Amino acid sequence: MSSSEQARVRAMRAAMLSSAGILVAIAASAPAMAQSDVADQAAAQDDDAIVVSGVRASIQDSINVKRQETAIVDALSADDIGDLPALSVGQAIQTITGATTHREKGDASELALRGLGPFLSNSTFNGREASNGSGDRSVNFNQFPSELVNNIKIYKTQQASLIEGGVAGTVEIGTLRPLDFGKRRIQGEIKAQYNPYGNRIVGEGGIGWRGTLSYVDQFANDTIGIALGVQRNDTNNPEETFAASTTWTACRADIIVPNGNCTEYTRDQYGEDRPFYLAPNSYTFRQISETDRRDAIFGAIQWQPSDRINVNLDVQYSDRTYVENRTDLNLSEGRYGITNAVYDENGALRSFDGRSSIESNTIELARSEEYLGGGLSVEWTPTDRLTLTLDGSYSRTIRYEDERNARLRTDAFDVNGVRTAINNQRIPYKYELQPGSFVPTITIDPRFDLNNHDLFWDDARFRRDQSRRYNRILAGRADARYETDGFLSAISAGGRWSKLVYRDYDVRKEENYNPAMSEDRRINNLCRNLAFPQRDFLSAAGDANGIHSWATFDLDCLFQEYVGAVDPGPLEDKRAIANRDVMERTFAGYIMGEYDANLGNMPVRGNFGVRVVNTQVTSYGLRSELDVVTTTDGIELVPTGEFETVTIKSSSTRVLPSINAIFEVAPDVQFRLAGYRAMSRPAPSALGAGRTITPADGSDFDTIEDAIGGIIATGSPRLKPLMSWNADAALEWYPNKDSMLSATVYYKQFNGGFEPVIIDESFNIGGEEVVVPVPQTRNSPDKSRIYGLELTGATRFSFLPKPLDGFGAKVSYNYADSNFVTQDIRLGDTYNPVTDSVEPGIVEPANLSGYSKHVLSAQAYYETGPLSLQAIYNYRSSYYQDFVGGNNQLRYVGPSETVDLRASLALMKGVSLRVEAVNIFNDPKETYMPVYGNPRQYHYYGAKYFIGLRARI
């Protein structure tokens, strides 16, 4: 366990103890809170003009939503626009019970509910599915400004009327409806950002800003309402990393290869129980300077010509572009010349001596992501009992990534033609993972100067990459609700149709240049960067890392001088085996009854129903054609450049019953029971039908099968949804409008998980049909389960004497235990359909993607008069995170722990000063592959500070 992990464990224990103390304090202060409630009610009767605002108002609204909803729900809401207490939607979600997020670029990103990852969660925007540019079904919350979102609900249990897809839960993000808001509001806010880490970037000051303007009004005797919000976010998010490659090989420890790659421990040898260690293809030190701009526009029109017709039109648009300037030092041969290897019982290397070519890579990555979504809803109440609703929606995301990459490599000679002291392009180095450190110490042979530009010049390689992700969802639904008398208070029924399209491509244009050495020397001297772009590189990783700078070059200059253009443009032919083209049609229908009755003297309410879902998937892919070339020694395979289009179809129908019940055992106590069946579909990017065949190196093979080096499936189109049976029980106590205490236990049984499988597929190679085993993923017949406990407590300490009565707190904790199994696709167990048996692997399996055993969120606030203070603590234990697209090796994310601070001060009526700090303790992100404890990547982002003014009329 690294020192940072040990510190997190200690902090986690302290936080859990303090949180437990808050929960105990809430329970112990019951009499005082009851008295406070009586006092609050008396005060309200005396003065109805008292308005609660800020954090306290948000928590009050959330408590009220939780109490009134039929399903088990946790929420975060704000009565006024811009009052959601967070800088981003992801950060806001982290404060909701049982919710946490994955962090990218230092901010909250993909969602996890009850310790379960985004694959098992479903997110909707104003009740509609939202597209994204990642290829999965999560929502990129960084696309949406929190200032333009008014409420977030998390449905922990399902009901028939909800859109399917959330085994862990459904997140509903909502924006303001102008007539329901009921007043005119003009509001502007501007914030300045300071990133101390950004100040270490040469030529930058770590300064950014964001500005938000919103307008809400009502017209025509309050029959027409409009709401409009715009925001620009212009910031920088620099980053520094150490990373190993994403492909890891098991190497035979009993065979030492000092002048070549290690000998692979192959699957057919696993039963021999040989010693092995795990080695990546490469190691990289990376420094990133970045600019990030997002423009967002949210708009809504609401029309109510009468009390029987309600029409709502809402549109959301977001355009985010960021540019990363990357400087890489790459040890490109991580498996070459390994000697003196020391490794642990899991094969994780602790030290070794190796030799590798070293590269100075200069990269520019530009990503542009555009989101456009919206919908039209028409609600008609023809009678006092019947309500009919029609809704149509559109959501589209387009993400482009353009990358330019220039590589210069070491050689036995320097650029002046002088033989180097090492006299080899491969430079000796020593790898050591110090106790308590995450980033390994890589010590380069002292005869080699990393900052000497003369040593990086050979094998100039230039890449121009482009990728595109296109995700579009068209959907329509019709719902009817009829109110009745008696036990059933209402009956609802409806249907929904949707069409999801996901397409992507990744293309690469690559050229290698080996001109005369005099030309290399000219360009090398012309394109040198005289200074490393950052001060104190990786200093946050501790004293273990000894690499703080290296020779770097100007990217535009290198492209211009070698290629002849600063940007040669992407490859015109976008066809590639890895491309995915998936269409998914969904037809769903439901019927649900709502009931409200008495069980003796105890009120009981709830709902029950069933939802039937049919999913039809059509996946189009390309398979490469290869020519068989006869040589003097045998045969070799050569790609023809042609493709064969393959279409794979799959369908499934699932029945999803559900029941929710609320027993009001006392005026301030509720007991809830819920049972339901839920489903989560595979990511669209996991459903690709392409196959990439890599010819083996050499030209002396006897058969075509021998000449195939490997084959990779871009997806598994026949994957079916993951199904689960679920049960929840909750006890909730609401002593007053500021306070609540709840405990929920839940159980989920999964019917089938995912496991690697080797399926024989036929390919036409050189006119001959060849059967090749293809590793991919299938639905397994295994059953697994997860059970958990969720605790929430919130209170304002109004029973304390002034001014201490302004203190309040909220804490939530989720514990989950799962026995789900996910195997490493290269090194884990593999099912062989020919023998109908499981062939054992050599690395331990992971759990569910995104599964964390512990999730904790704690808030403390103080509000009095014009002052509001808030501190937020979030903890998430380690978890397995799959790669988008699937069919990859296991990746684990280490525990994360963040502390954020917020403060606001009302300067005058309608004007307030706001100060915020994010990740104040500079918590880094650490990942491991393919076993936990084996370092793969270290990310450091640093803290961020904001100060701003908000004015509203």
mmCIF file of all heavy atoms in Angstrom, residues 152-184:
data_model
loop_
_atom_site.group_PDB
_atom_site.id
_atom_site.type_symbol
_atom_site.label_atom_id
_atom_site.label_comp_id
_atom_site.label_asym_id
_atom_site.label_seq_id
_atom_site.Cartn_x
_atom_site.Cartn_y
_atom_site.Cartn_z
ATOM 1 N N ILE A 152 -31.888 17.716 -9.401
ATOM 2 C CA ILE A 152 -31.350 16.403 -9.747
ATOM 3 C C ILE A 152 -32.014 15.385 -8.831
ATOM 4 O O ILE A 152 -31.975 15.540 -7.609
ATOM 5 C CB ILE A 152 -29.821 16.344 -9.572
ATOM 6 C CG1 ILE A 152 -29.133 17.419 -10.416
ATOM 7 C CG2 ILE A 152 -29.290 14.968 -9.939
ATOM 8 C CD1 ILE A 152 -27.661 17.579 -10.103
ATOM 9 N N LYS A 153 -32.631 14.381 -9.423
ATOM 10 C CA LYS A 153 -33.238 13.300 -8.656
ATOM 11 C C LYS A 153 -32.534 11.992 -8.996
ATOM 12 O O LYS A 153 -32.181 11.753 -10.150
ATOM 13 C CB LYS A 153 -34.735 13.142 -8.980
ATOM 14 C CG LYS A 153 -35.621 14.273 -8.513
ATOM 15 C CD LYS A 153 -37.072 13.949 -8.855
ATOM 16 C CE LYS A 153 -38.000 15.071 -8.445
ATOM 17 N NZ LYS A 153 -39.412 14.755 -8.797
ATOM 18 N N ILE A 154 -32.351 11.168 -7.990
ATOM 19 C CA ILE A 154 -31.812 9.831 -8.206
ATOM 20 C C ILE A 154 -32.835 8.824 -7.711
ATOM 21 O O ILE A 154 -33.117 8.751 -6.508
ATOM 22 C CB ILE A 154 -30.470 9.631 -7.476
ATOM 23 C CG1 ILE A 154 -29.434 10.629 -7.997
ATOM 24 C CG2 ILE A 154 -29.972 8.208 -7.674
ATOM 25 C CD1 ILE A 154 -28.071 10.494 -7.347
ATOM 26 N N TYR A 155 -33.411 8.088 -8.640
ATOM 27 C CA TYR A 155 -34.370 7.028 -8.298
ATOM 28 C C TYR A 155 -33.581 5.772 -7.966
ATOM 29 O O TYR A 155 -32.988 5.140 -8.840
ATOM 30 C CB TYR A 155 -35.320 6.771 -9.459
ATOM 31 C CG TYR A 155 -36.328 7.871 -9.684
ATOM 32 C CD1 TYR A 155 -36.010 8.988 -10.460
ATOM 33 C CD2 TYR A 155 -37.596 7.806 -9.120
ATOM 34 C CE1 TYR A 155 -36.937 10.001 -10.671
ATOM 35 C CE2 TYR A 155 -38.529 8.817 -9.322
ATOM 36 C CZ TYR A 155 -38.190 9.913 -10.095
ATOM 37 O OH TYR A 155 -39.105 10.917 -10.291
ATOM 38 N N LYS A 156 -33.590 5.387 -6.697
ATOM 39 C CA LYS A 156 -32.859 4.188 -6.269
ATOM 40 C C LYS A 156 -33.653 2.914 -6.572
ATOM 41 O O LYS A 156 -33.080 1.834 -6.693
ATOM 42 C CB LYS A 156 -32.579 4.259 -4.764
ATOM 43 C CG LYS A 156 -31.857 5.532 -4.323
ATOM 44 C CD LYS A 156 -30.457 5.593 -4.861
ATOM 45 C CE LYS A 156 -29.710 6.816 -4.346
ATOM 46 N NZ LYS A 156 -29.527 6.850 -2.888
ATOM 47 N N THR A 157 -34.987 3.027 -6.613
ATOM 48 C CA THR A 157 -35.833 1.892 -7.004
ATOM 49 C C THR A 157 -36.584 2.267 -8.270
ATOM 50 O O THR A 157 -36.743 3.442 -8.597
ATOM 51 C CB THR A 157 -36.827 1.522 -5.889
ATOM 52 O OG1 THR A 157 -37.699 2.641 -5.641
ATOM 53 C CG2 THR A 157 -36.099 1.166 -4.607
ATOM 54 N N GLN A 158 -37.033 1.254 -8.970
ATOM 55 C CA GLN A 158 -37.680 1.468 -10.257
ATOM 56 C C GLN A 158 -39.200 1.438 -10.127
ATOM 57 O O GLN A 158 -39.755 0.849 -9.196
ATOM 58 C CB GLN A 158 -37.231 0.392 -11.251
ATOM 59 C CG GLN A 158 -35.752 0.446 -11.572
ATOM 60 C CD GLN A 158 -35.346 1.710 -12.279
ATOM 61 O OE1 GLN A 158 -35.816 2.016 -13.371
ATOM 62 N NE2 GLN A 158 -34.466 2.478 -11.652
ATOM 63 N N GLN A 159 -39.854 2.073 -11.073
ATOM 64 C CA GLN A 159 -41.297 1.947 -11.235
ATOM 65 C C GLN A 159 -41.586 1.869 -12.727
ATOM 66 O O GLN A 159 -40.769 2.295 -13.556
ATOM 67 C CB GLN A 159 -42.041 3.109 -10.570
ATOM 68 C CG GLN A 159 -41.644 4.486 -11.048
ATOM 69 C CD GLN A 159 -42.227 5.586 -10.174
ATOM 70 O OE1 GLN A 159 -42.399 5.419 -8.977
ATOM 71 N NE2 GLN A 159 -42.561 6.723 -10.786
ATOM 72 N N ALA A 160 -42.713 1.322 -13.084
ATOM 73 C CA ALA A 160 -42.977 0.956 -14.477
ATOM 74 C C ALA A 160 -42.926 2.145 -15.423
ATOM 75 O O ALA A 160 -42.616 1.986 -16.605
ATOM 76 C CB ALA A 160 -44.338 0.260 -14.572
ATOM 77 N N SER A 161 -43.211 3.354 -14.937
ATOM 78 C CA SER A 161 -43.254 4.520 -15.814
ATOM 79 C C SER A 161 -41.879 5.074 -16.146
ATOM 80 O O SER A 161 -41.745 5.904 -17.049
ATOM 81 C CB SER A 161 -44.099 5.618 -15.160
ATOM 82 O OG SER A 161 -43.561 5.978 -13.900
ATOM 83 N N LEU A 162 -40.832 4.647 -15.440
ATOM 84 C CA LEU A 162 -39.492 5.161 -15.682
ATOM 85 C C LEU A 162 -38.852 4.472 -16.886
ATOM 86 O O LEU A 162 -39.066 3.285 -17.137
ATOM 87 C CB LEU A 162 -38.600 4.950 -14.460
ATOM 88 C CG LEU A 162 -38.905 5.777 -13.212
ATOM 89 C CD1 LEU A 162 -37.962 5.360 -12.087
ATOM 90 C CD2 LEU A 162 -38.776 7.259 -13.488
ATOM 91 N N ILE A 163 -38.029 5.221 -17.618
ATOM 92 C CA ILE A 163 -37.275 4.633 -18.716
ATOM 93 C C ILE A 163 -36.329 3.578 -18.163
ATOM 94 O O ILE A 163 -35.632 3.801 -17.172
ATOM 95 C CB ILE A 163 -36.487 5.721 -19.474
ATOM 96 C CG1 ILE A 163 -37.457 6.723 -20.137
ATOM 97 C CG2 ILE A 163 -35.580 5.099 -20.524
ATOM 98 C CD1 ILE A 163 -36.759 7.868 -20.825
ATOM 99 N N GLU A 164 -36.312 2.424 -18.793
ATOM 100 C CA GLU A 164 -35.493 1.306 -18.324
ATOM 101 C C GLU A 164 -34.005 1.605 -18.515
ATOM 102 O O GLU A 164 -33.637 2.495 -19.297
ATOM 103 C CB GLU A 164 -35.872 0.030 -19.069
ATOM 104 C CG GLU A 164 -35.480 -0.007 -20.539
ATOM 105 C CD GLU A 164 -36.387 0.835 -21.419
ATOM 106 O OE1 GLU A 164 -37.483 1.235 -20.966
ATOM 107 O OE2 GLU A 164 -36.009 1.094 -22.583
ATOM 108 N N GLY A 165 -33.176 0.838 -17.823
ATOM 109 C CA GLY A 165 -31.731 0.962 -18.010
ATOM 110 C C GLY A 165 -30.949 1.172 -16.738
ATOM 111 O O GLY A 165 -29.725 1.217 -16.778
ATOM 112 N N GLY A 166 -31.620 1.305 -15.591
ATOM 113 C CA GLY A 166 -30.908 1.613 -14.364
ATOM 114 C C GLY A 166 -30.977 0.517 -13.329
ATOM 115 O O GLY A 166 -31.870 0.528 -12.480
ATOM 116 N N VAL A 167 -30.052 -0.440 -13.375
ATOM 117 C CA VAL A 167 -29.974 -1.452 -12.321
ATOM 118 C C VAL A 167 -29.596 -0.794 -10.997
ATOM 119 O O VAL A 167 -30.159 -1.089 -9.948
ATOM 120 C CB VAL A 167 -28.959 -2.545 -12.698
ATOM 121 C CG1 VAL A 167 -28.618 -3.418 -11.496
ATOM 122 C CG2 VAL A 167 -29.524 -3.422 -13.816
ATOM 123 N N ALA A 168 -28.624 0.102 -11.037
ATOM 124 C CA ALA A 168 -28.220 0.808 -9.822
ATOM 125 C C ALA A 168 -29.163 1.950 -9.502
ATOM 126 O O ALA A 168 -29.382 2.280 -8.335
ATOM 127 C CB ALA A 168 -26.799 1.335 -9.969
ATOM 128 N N GLY A 169 -29.737 2.572 -10.528
ATOM 129 C CA GLY A 169 -30.641 3.687 -10.313
ATOM 130 C C GLY A 169 -30.741 4.544 -11.557
ATOM 131 O O GLY A 169 -30.042 4.336 -12.557
ATOM 132 N N THR A 170 -31.620 5.523 -11.496
ATOM 133 C CA THR A 170 -31.837 6.452 -12.603
ATOM 134 C C THR A 170 -31.620 7.877 -12.110
ATOM 135 O O THR A 170 -32.197 8.290 -11.104
ATOM 136 C CB THR A 170 -33.258 6.315 -13.174
ATOM 137 O OG1 THR A 170 -33.408 5.013 -13.737
ATOM 138 C CG2 THR A 170 -33.510 7.355 -14.254
ATOM 139 N N VAL A 171 -30.786 8.613 -12.823
ATOM 140 C CA VAL A 171 -30.524 10.008 -12.499
ATOM 141 C C VAL A 171 -31.340 10.889 -13.434
ATOM 142 O O VAL A 171 -31.248 10.765 -14.651
ATOM 143 C CB VAL A 171 -29.031 10.348 -12.635
ATOM 144 C CG1 VAL A 171 -28.784 11.820 -12.320
ATOM 145 C CG2 VAL A 171 -28.202 9.473 -11.732
ATOM 146 N N GLU A 172 -32.161 11.741 -12.855
ATOM 147 C CA GLU A 172 -32.986 12.656 -13.631
ATOM 148 C C GLU A 172 -32.494 14.085 -13.400
ATOM 149 O O GLU A 172 -32.508 14.585 -12.268
ATOM 150 C CB GLU A 172 -34.459 12.524 -13.222
ATOM 151 C CG GLU A 172 -35.362 13.653 -13.679
ATOM 152 C CD GLU A 172 -35.434 13.837 -15.183
ATOM 153 O OE1 GLU A 172 -35.092 12.894 -15.911
ATOM 154 O OE2 GLU A 172 -35.809 14.927 -15.621
ATOM 155 N N ILE A 173 -32.024 14.721 -14.465
ATOM 156 C CA ILE A 173 -31.555 16.105 -14.403
ATOM 157 C C ILE A 173 -32.653 16.993 -14.966
ATOM 158 O O ILE A 173 -33.169 16.739 -16.059
ATOM 159 C CB ILE A 173 -30.253 16.280 -15.198
ATOM 160 C CG1 ILE A 173 -29.172 15.338 -14.652
ATOM 161 C CG2 ILE A 173 -29.773 17.726 -15.151
ATOM 162 C CD1 ILE A 173 -27.928 15.290 -15.497
ATOM 163 N N GLY A 174 -33.018 18.023 -14.239
ATOM 164 C CA GLY A 174 -34.130 18.864 -14.654
ATOM 165 C C GLY A 174 -33.754 20.330 -14.722
ATOM 166 O O GLY A 174 -32.940 20.828 -13.946
ATOM 167 N N THR A 175 -34.345 21.013 -15.692
ATOM 168 C CA THR A 175 -34.173 22.451 -15.811
ATOM 169 C C THR A 175 -35.491 23.149 -15.469
ATOM 170 O O THR A 175 -36.539 22.512 -15.329
ATOM 171 C CB THR A 175 -33.728 22.846 -17.233
ATOM 172 O OG1 THR A 175 -34.664 22.319 -18.188
ATOM 173 C CG2 THR A 175 -32.352 22.275 -17.545
ATOM 174 N N LEU A 176 -35.410 24.433 -15.360
ATOM 175 C CA LEU A 176 -36.538 25.229 -14.875
ATOM 176 C C LEU A 176 -37.650 25.347 -15.915
ATOM 177 O O LEU A 176 -37.388 25.478 -17.117
ATOM 178 C CB LEU A 176 -36.013 26.610 -14.499
ATOM 179 C CG LEU A 176 -36.967 27.671 -14.002
ATOM 180 C CD1 LEU A 176 -36.309 28.477 -12.898
ATOM 181 C CD2 LEU A 176 -37.344 28.610 -15.159
ATOM 182 N N ARG A 177 -38.915 25.298 -15.440
ATOM 183 C CA ARG A 177 -40.083 25.611 -16.262
ATOM 184 C C ARG A 177 -40.547 27.028 -15.907
ATOM 185 O O ARG A 177 -40.863 27.298 -14.749
ATOM 186 C CB ARG A 177 -41.193 24.607 -16.028
ATOM 187 C CG ARG A 177 -40.898 23.234 -16.638
ATOM 188 C CD ARG A 177 -42.112 22.330 -16.577
ATOM 189 N NE ARG A 177 -41.899 21.111 -17.345
ATOM 190 C CZ ARG A 177 -42.836 20.203 -17.569
ATOM 191 N NH1 ARG A 177 -44.061 20.371 -17.056
ATOM 192 N NH2 ARG A 177 -42.574 19.131 -18.287
ATOM 193 N N PRO A 178 -40.563 27.931 -16.861
ATOM 194 C CA PRO A 178 -40.728 29.357 -16.530
ATOM 195 C C PRO A 178 -42.063 29.721 -15.882
ATOM 196 O O PRO A 178 -42.088 30.575 -14.997
ATOM 197 C CB PRO A 178 -40.550 30.055 -17.883
ATOM 198 C CG PRO A 178 -40.759 28.997 -18.911
ATOM 199 C CD PRO A 178 -40.312 27.719 -18.302
ATOM 200 N N LEU A 179 -43.179 29.097 -16.309
ATOM 201 C CA LEU A 179 -44.454 29.424 -15.661
ATOM 202 C C LEU A 179 -44.509 28.866 -14.254
ATOM 203 O O LEU A 179 -45.058 29.501 -13.343
ATOM 204 C CB LEU A 179 -45.622 28.890 -16.494
ATOM 205 C CG LEU A 179 -45.903 29.615 -17.820
ATOM 206 C CD1 LEU A 179 -47.126 29.008 -18.505
ATOM 207 C CD2 LEU A 179 -46.106 31.109 -17.610
ATOM 208 N N ASP A 180 -43.958 27.696 -14.048
ATOM 209 C CA ASP A 180 -43.924 27.134 -12.705
ATOM 210 C C ASP A 180 -43.044 27.980 -11.786
ATOM 211 O O ASP A 180 -43.298 28.062 -10.577
ATOM 212 C CB ASP A 180 -43.397 25.693 -12.752
ATOM 213 C CG ASP A 180 -44.310 24.777 -13.551
ATOM 214 O OD1 ASP A 180 -45.461 25.171 -13.809
ATOM 215 O OD2 ASP A 180 -43.864 23.680 -13.928
ATOM 216 N N PHE A 181 -42.007 28.599 -12.344
ATOM 217 C CA PHE A 181 -41.143 29.470 -11.557
ATOM 218 C C PHE A 181 -41.924 30.684 -11.049
ATOM 219 O O PHE A 181 -41.765 31.108 -9.902
ATOM 220 C CB PHE A 181 -39.948 29.902 -12.414
ATOM 221 C CG PHE A 181 -38.902 30.683 -11.678
ATOM 222 C CD1 PHE A 181 -38.169 30.104 -10.667
ATOM 223 C CD2 PHE A 181 -38.643 32.005 -12.018
ATOM 224 C CE1 PHE A 181 -37.200 30.823 -9.996
ATOM 225 C CE2 PHE A 181 -37.673 32.726 -11.349
ATOM 226 C CZ PHE A 181 -36.942 32.135 -10.338
ATOM 227 N N GLY A 182 -42.741 31.261 -11.913
ATOM 228 C CA GLY A 182 -43.741 32.237 -11.486
ATOM 229 C C GLY A 182 -43.280 33.649 -11.229
ATOM 230 O O GLY A 182 -44.039 34.448 -10.662
ATOM 231 N N LYS A 183 -42.070 34.025 -11.637
ATOM 232 C CA LYS A 183 -41.622 35.400 -11.426
ATOM 233 C C LYS A 183 -40.529 35.744 -12.434
ATOM 234 O O LYS A 183 -39.905 34.867 -13.031
ATOM 235 C CB LYS A 183 -41.097 35.586 -10.002
ATOM 236 C CG LYS A 183 -40.016 34.602 -9.590
ATOM 237 C CD LYS A 183 -39.677 34.730 -8.111
ATOM 238 C CE LYS A 183 -38.700 33.647 -7.672
ATOM 239 N NZ LYS A 183 -38.415 33.691 -6.226
ATOM 240 N N ARG A 184 -40.334 37.048 -12.618
ATOM 241 C CA ARG A 184 -39.277 37.497 -13.511
ATOM 242 C C ARG A 184 -37.942 37.429 -12.778
ATOM 243 O O ARG A 184 -37.829 37.774 -11.615
ATOM 244 C CB ARG A 184 -39.525 38.925 -13.968
ATOM 245 C CG ARG A 184 -38.394 39.501 -14.827
ATOM 246 C CD ARG A 184 -38.652 40.947 -15.172
ATOM 247 N NE ARG A 184 -39.821 41.063 -16.028
ATOM 248 C CZ ARG A 184 -40.355 42.244 -16.382
ATOM 249 N NH1 ARG A 184 -39.848 43.359 -15.908
ATOM 250 N NH2 ARG A 184 -41.416 42.278 -17.167
#
